[in-house]
Amino acid sequence: MVRRFAALLTVFLLALTACGQSGGGSPAAAPAAESRTIRHVQGETTIEGTPEKVVVMDFGALDTMKALGLSDTVVGLPKRGLPKFLSEFGDEKYADVGTLQEPNLETINKLDPDLLIIGGRSAAKYPELSQHWPTLDVSFKTDKGLIDGTEASATPIAETFGKQAELSEKMAALRTRAQGLESKGAAAGRGLIVMTSGGKVSLHGENSRFGAIHTILGVPVAKENIATDGHGEPATFELLAEINPDVMFVVDRDAAIGTEGQNARQILDNELVHRTKAWQDQKLVMLDGSRWYIAIHGLDNAGAMLDEAAAGLEG
Amino acid sequence: MTLLDLARRDFPGVVTSSTAPGKVVGNRIRTPGAGADPAAVRRRTLRVGIWALALLVFGALVVASLLIGAGTLDAQVFWASRVPRTVAVVLAGAAMALGGLLMQLLVRNRFVEPSTVGTTESAGAGLLIATIWMPAMPVAGKMGVAVLAGILGTALFLQVIRVVPVHSAIIVVPLVGLMLSGVIAASTTFIAYQFDLLQTMTMWMTGDFSGVIRGRFELLWLVGALLVVTYVFADRFTVAGLGRDHATSLGLNHRVAMAVGLGIVAVSSAVCVVVVGGLPFLGLVVPNLVSLVMGDNLRRSLPVICLGGAGFVLACDILARVINHPYELPVGIIVGVVGAAVFLTMLVRRKGLR
């Protein structure tokens, strides 16, 4: 509303000045901004020209912006819980626009962005945000798997800024990287993905957000058919002993959201987990929660995740 | 003449379920001519029957709890996982049920319990504050903060209900409690939201025994000790439940009894929240059902209430292990759903029962 009014006012003033000009040199006509229609998770958004002021409400998308060389267009982001690998966005030249779940509309309004990029935890705000600003929802879809999901999420961003060529290049490199890691995963033995939080554990399967461990790295599953609920299946330590995985991939959820609580190793350090082969061989691959649980589908992050898991298997 | 005998003389029918003034023999109440009064005989038979049935069901639940789990049963699984979990469930269930009854006696209202007057929420707030500002603090320290917050929240509730007119409808006090606990929960949610701890907070406050193993539940023995303390001072709490003036006229230091009683409630609720999370409605449902049958003599009904609370949570926890086997469901959800249903039924049928 405000924007539309401002636009009308601008047109009106321009018309006035144009009228007021005494003949002679014609006014330099700005090149007509071409408009593009970008398809994304929650529909289509028409974008005029190339956005210069972007607010990014999702850390995966932020990582993709950085990977595509678009950091300079970012003006605001939620700074709480910013992953370490994106720490440059903590700089004060970037505005803090609330949290992932709750964008601060007033702050965003002050920034007057010409594009919002949201996803995952902020996706539910789409109806509200898209009323005020052109908005893209680039939520990661778990069922596509890490690589195709990352590509699907980055595509609307690349299209908006005309970076399709860079995206194809990066994706090709990512796929090559993934293929190179497959043999490592297959030789790792039966793997189990465990998330720790508040002294308890939950298990995650191959269709979960951490599923790349099984689907891309090719680590055999220690237990079939673990449901794909967002927070996994709550489990007892008894069950961990029963499944007896050869290797455990551990995500510390409390560290991912910035609490310094009991760390994952402390939670797992008990007599029942000690019975597992994974503990006895010290095959606990600690995964960086900010990469695996918070950011996930960043164009650089996806490769870094795979590398981290593969390096953990070696170490 | 004990305090309780005085109370019985002055308030027949209030202190015990028997309508005739009784004489205490051992810890049983003998009403005059009990053998001749068929109603009394019926009552006593009923009581013995209830006890036998309760013990039988409880024993069966304990055995089931020791046998059911995600892993294959061997000595280590038994001692490191099954036994601790069963003990934790029994202690927490008994403590929350008894905490409800103590609170109902001392506030003199049938419809209050720690999770509906702000005690549990305050303890959660304490835990959150300790986690945010003193993350390096050992668990015992965080628990201390939670206990302190639980006591403060309970004291706040008592201050607030002092302004409720004496002759208001019975539902006013619990409603005030619900509002207060709502305000505390909202403030806690706001702080948790500021620090991105909402989901963690939810996990804490939802009762769940899946993380209980040897070495990680022992603080609950403190709650067990408080149960014993409550039993020792049961008569004083019963008399305190008659109201300040009556209790004082019988020679009880009402203020001290209130402070000790509510202190016990706050400490045991806080410990339960920190170790296993919240078990909503338990303190409402179990004491109310037991009171219907046994009246309000705490010394007599305490064992039944502890058994009832423990048995109910055991049953729910066994369900929590079975429904989603080999995975878990948070038992707090099951307790809340079943408890709320029973509580509503009681509210609706209350007129018919009295």
Side-chain angles (χ1 to χ4, degrees):
Chain A
M1 188 67 222
V2 173
R3 282 176 49 84
R4 197 175 300 170
F5 179 68
L8 277 172
L9 195 69
T10 318
V11 170
F12 180 66
L13 287 174
L14 278 175
L16 276 183
T17 45
C19 293
Q21 271 177 345
S22 54
S26 59
E34 57 165 322
S35 75
R36 299 179 235 209
T37 303
I38 307 289
R39 292 189 54 202
H40 58 90
V41 175
Q42 294 197 48
E44 293 184 342
T45 298
T46 305
I47 295 170
E48 308 284 332
T50 306
E52 287 164 5
K53 290 196 284 182
V54 187
V55 168
V56 185
M57 299 296 304
D58 176 274
F59 292 139
L62 189 63
D63 185 65
T64 298
M65 295 287 283
K66 179 179 151 188
L68 294 173
L70 298 165
S71 297
D72 290 346
T73 65
V74 177
V75 291
L77 62 132
K79 288 188 174 176
R80 183 170 304 142
L82 187 67
K84 282 198 185 72
F85 58 91
L86 294 170
S87 56
E88 68 260 41
F89 291 100
D91 192 287
E92 53 195 50
K93 71 179 174 190
Y94 302 101
D96 190 359
V97 297
T99 64
L100 290 172
Q101 282 95 345
E102 292 287 337
N104 184 331
L105 297 188
E106 287 176 28
T107 315
I108 297 177
N109 197 35
K110 284 203 192 88
L111 293 170
D112 189 31
D114 34 29
L115 179 67
L116 256 56
I117 300 175
I118 63 171
R121 294 167 178 85
S122 53
K125 299 286 172 190
Y126 182 80
E128 195 177 354
L129 295 170
S130 57
Q131 275 179 16
H132 303 284
W133 302 281
T135 305
L136 302 177
D137 176 0
V138 298
S139 294
F140 174 67
K141 292 294 168 213
T142 313
D143 54 356
K144 287 198 165 95
L146 181 65
I147 292 181
D148 293 350
T150 298
E151 184 167 37
S153 166
T155 302
I157 299 177
E159 284 176 354
T160 301
F161 294 94
K163 295 272 183 184
Q164 289 94 330
E166 286 88 339
L167 176 60
S168 318
E169 202 178 307
K170 292 248 178 203
M171 286 310 303
L174 180 60
R175 288 196 166 94
T176 314
R177 207 160 155 185
Q179 274 161 4
L181 296 173
E182 268 170 28
S183 54
K184 278 196 184 126
R190 297 157 57 253
L192 186 67
I193 306 165
V194 179
M195 183 150 95
T196 61
S197 181
K200 300 176 200 126
V201 291
S202 59
L203 306 184
H204 298 257
E206 49 191 331
N207 298 320
S208 71
R209 63 181 104 188
F210 313 116
I213 301 270
H214 299 304
T215 55
I216 295 169
L217 290 179
V219 175
V221 291
K223 179 144 184 64
E224 299 288 337
N225 305 328
I226 300 173
T228 60
D229 182 64
H231 291 119
E233 291 279 21
T236 49
F237 297 112
E238 241 183 74
L239 183 60
L240 291 186
E242 180 76 15
I243 294 173
N244 190 12
D246 300 322
V247 53
M248 266 194 260
F249 296 86
V250 184
V251 183
D252 185 342
R253 182 167 170 279
D254 292 347
I257 53 177
T259 49
E260 297 292 318
Q262 280 181 296
N263 71 44
R265 190 174 284 278
Q266 263 181 317
I267 292 174
L268 292 172
D269 187 357
N270 65 62
E271 56 191 310
L272 290 161
V273 177
H274 291 177
R275 289 166 63 159
T276 62
K277 201 164 172 308
W279 183 275
Q280 286 156 14
D281 302 347
Q282 279 304 301
K283 282 283 181 194
L284 261 62
V285 181
M286 295 292 170
L287 301 175
D288 178 348
S290 65
R291 287 194 180 280
W292 286 84
Y293 182 74
I294 302 287
I296 310 176
H297 55 114
L299 205 44
D300 285 340
N301 189 46
M305 282 160 70
L306 298 177
D307 284 348
E308 183 187 36
L313 286 175
E314 283 174 9
Chain B
M1 270 294 211
T2 64
L3 263 182
L4 200 60
D5 292 336
L6 281 170
R8 283 210 185 89
R9 194 191 62 199
D10 293 358
F11 307 98
V14 177
V15 177
T16 73
S17 58
S18 75
T19 47
K23 195 167 57 159
V24 182
V25 179
N27 61 359
R28 285 228 304 276
I29 292 159
R30 285 279 160 83
T31 45
D37 178 6
V41 173
R42 233 191 352 260
R43 256 204 306 278
R44 196 140 18 116
T45 318
L46 181 70
R47 205 178 324 154
V48 172
I50 287 176
W51 263 112
L53 186 71
L55 284 171
L56 200 72
V57 172
F58 185 74
L61 285 169
V62 168
V63 171
S65 173
L66 293 172
L67 295 180
I68 295 170
T72 313
L73 190 57
D74 60 28
Q76 190 180 27
V77 166
F78 185 76
W79 291 111
S81 172
R82 303 287 170 84
V83 171
R85 183 162 182 168
T86 306
V87 170
V89 170
V90 168
L91 286 174
M96 292 313 284
L98 186 67
L101 180 73
L102 254 185
M103 192 159 246
Q104 285 152 28
L105 266 178
L106 299 175
V107 177
R108 305 190 69 201
N109 189 301
R110 278 260 159 256
F111 300 109
V112 291
E113 68 126 21
S115 73
T116 62
V117 304
T119 306
T120 311
E121 283 73 15
S122 305
L127 186 61
L128 179 76
I129 286 163
T131 303
I132 292 172
W133 281 288
M134 296 164 270
M137 206 179 200
V139 175
K142 284 178 183 158
M143 199 163 293
V145 176
V147 168
L148 201 66
I151 292 173
L152 286 174
T154 314
L156 178 66
F157 168 68
L158 292 178
Q159 286 301 316
V160 170
I161 58 169
R162 283 175 74 171
V163 304
V164 174
V166 177
H167 298 293
S168 331
I170 192 144
I171 205 75
V172 172
V173 166
L175 284 178
V176 169
L178 281 172
M179 286 179 216
L180 187 68
S181 63
V183 170
I184 294 167
S187 318
T188 312
T189 303
F190 178 73
I191 297 171
Y193 159 71
Q194 291 294 320
F195 288 86
D196 262 344
L197 286 170
L198 270 181
Q199 286 169 320
T200 306
M201 193 76 208
T202 312
M203 281 189 77
W204 278 339
M205 298 305 284
T206 309
D208 182 3
F209 293 89
S210 66
V212 172
I213 46 172
R214 183 156 54 187
R216 292 191 191 172
F217 78 101
E218 281 71 4
L219 275 157
L220 281 169
W221 287 113
L222 173 67
V223 172
L226 289 175
L227 291 178
V228 176
V229 171
T230 311
Y231 188 71
V232 170
F233 293 110
D235 292 346
R236 285 158 203 254
F237 296 135
T238 304
V239 173
L242 298 170
R244 196 181 60 201
D245 296 350
H246 295 321
T248 309
S249 74
L250 291 167
L252 178 80
N253 187 334
H254 186 259
R255 181 180 283 273
V256 171
M258 288 286 283
V260 171
L262 290 166
I264 290 174
V265 175
V267 173
S268 46
S269 311
V271 171
C272 287
V273 165
V274 176
V275 180
V276 296
L279 299 168
F281 293 111
L282 196 62
L284 281 175
V285 173
V286 177
N288 274 294
L289 287 178
V290 173
S291 283
L292 286 177
V293 180
M294 301 186 59
D296 286 347
N297 180 350
L298 182 58
R299 184 177 300 284
R300 237 176 11 147
S301 59
L302 185 141
V304 184
I305 283 173
C306 288
L307 209 62
F312 178 57
V313 182
L314 260 180
C316 289
D317 191 52
I318 291 167
L319 270 181
R321 284 177 247 176
V322 171
I323 291 176
N324 197 19
H325 192 86
Y327 311 108
E328 295 272 327
L329 275 179
V331 72
I333 293 172
I334 301 176
V335 171
V337 169
V338 178
V342 175
F343 182 57
L344 284 173
T345 313
M346 269 173 15
L347 272 180
V348 171
R349 294 191 44 196
R350 189 163 164 270
K351 286 193 178 68
L353 287 164
R354 291 269 158 119

